[in-house]
Amino acid sequence: MKNIVIISGHPDLKNSCANKTILDEIAAKCPQAEIRKLDELYPDYNFDVKAEQAALEKADVIVFQFPMHWYGVPGLLKLYIDKVMEHGWAYGSKGKALVGKAFIISVTTGAPESAYTAEGMTKHTVEEFNYDLFAYAALCNLDCKKLFSLTGAMYVPGVTPEDKAKELVERCKKQADEILAYISSL
């Protein structure tokens, strides 16, 4: 059995539809996965670096689950990377803690898929906006496996029509299933 650690980088998961649904679905179908909800664990953004490093050290598979904020990771997840991925532990001549661990990125966006093309509104793909995570994975010698993206995942309570909300939940559950199937194939 693979040890799976999922780092939830959503800064306010209780008010999320997409990220919360993905994580709830994974938890229900893969209860052995450790889901570390950074917003709940560290509402003051004061990370227990050693506890986070210990969780990552025991992992065979590391998943970052987050909503794209301003075309990058949310501030909470960025700070997590800055604090937890220390030189001498995660990278550098003595930083070998993460070598060879499978790394998966799962991101949600508010804009639709058509926005994430060279011709679209953003002029870039979701993969291009996550280049920093691919570089981070390479620096830490993680085995970056796959990026899953769920576009058009915007949900605004009282504004999003009920049928669109139900469709989003189903798409989120499908993304969770695809992530789990992919992990099983590793």
Side-chain angles (χ1 to χ4, degrees):
M1 183 67 62
K2 294 176 187 72
N3 289 321
I4 304 163
V5 173
I6 301 170
I7 305 300
S8 167
H10 197 296
D12 188 17
L13 193 60
K14 70 180 177 301
N15 288 312
S16 166
C17 177
N19 283 260
K20 184 176 183 318
T21 300
I22 291 167
L23 292 170
D24 287 350
E25 191 74 4
I26 289 173
K29 293 184 175 177
C30 187
Q32 71 274 18
E34 180 179 357
I35 300 175
R36 303 192 61 79
K37 298 175 183 176
L38 299 181
D39 68 318
E40 291 178 13
L41 291 168
Y42 308 108
D44 59 358
Y45 285 39
N46 188 17
F47 298 105
D48 182 339
V49 171
K50 295 302 176 201
E52 293 307 310
Q53 289 175 344
L56 295 173
E57 284 175 355
K58 70 180 182 183
D60 300 310
V61 179
I62 299 168
V63 180
F64 278 11
Q65 174 65 55
F66 62 94
M68 189 183 298
H69 281 190
W70 288 106
Y71 309 109
V73 299
L76 177 62
L77 184 56
K78 175 64 170 93
L79 187 61
Y80 173 90
I81 293 167
D82 290 347
K83 298 292 185 184
V84 174
M85 306 306 170
E86 294 178 317
H87 181 270
W89 180 79
Y91 67 97
S93 62
K94 295 180 182 174
K96 306 294 183 204
L98 303 176
V99 172
K101 294 179 184 290
F103 180 58
I104 296 170
I105 301 164
S106 175
V107 59
T108 61
T109 73
E113 185 175 10
S114 62
Y116 295 100
T117 67
E119 300 78 28
M121 178 187 71
T122 68
K123 306 298 183 213
H124 295 281
T125 66
V126 172
E127 290 79 9
E128 289 169 334
F129 281 120
N130 284 281
Y131 171 79
D132 59 333
L133 289 179
F134 293 110
Y136 145 78
L139 178 65
C140 296
N141 290 298
L142 286 161
D143 184 5
C144 193
K145 294 292 191 182
K146 188 169 175 73
L147 180 141
F148 290 88
S149 65
L150 182 70
T151 57
M154 178 67 72
Y155 172 78
V156 180
V159 175
T160 303
E162 189 64 30
D163 61 327
K164 294 292 182 190
K166 287 180 181 178
E167 175 189 319
L168 175 58
V169 167
E170 291 309 310
R171 291 175 52 228
C172 292
K173 289 179 177 182
K174 182 179 179 212
Q175 174 134 333
D177 289 343
E178 289 172 359
I179 293 166
L180 290 173
Y182 185 77
I183 290 171
S184 292
S185 75
L186 297 177

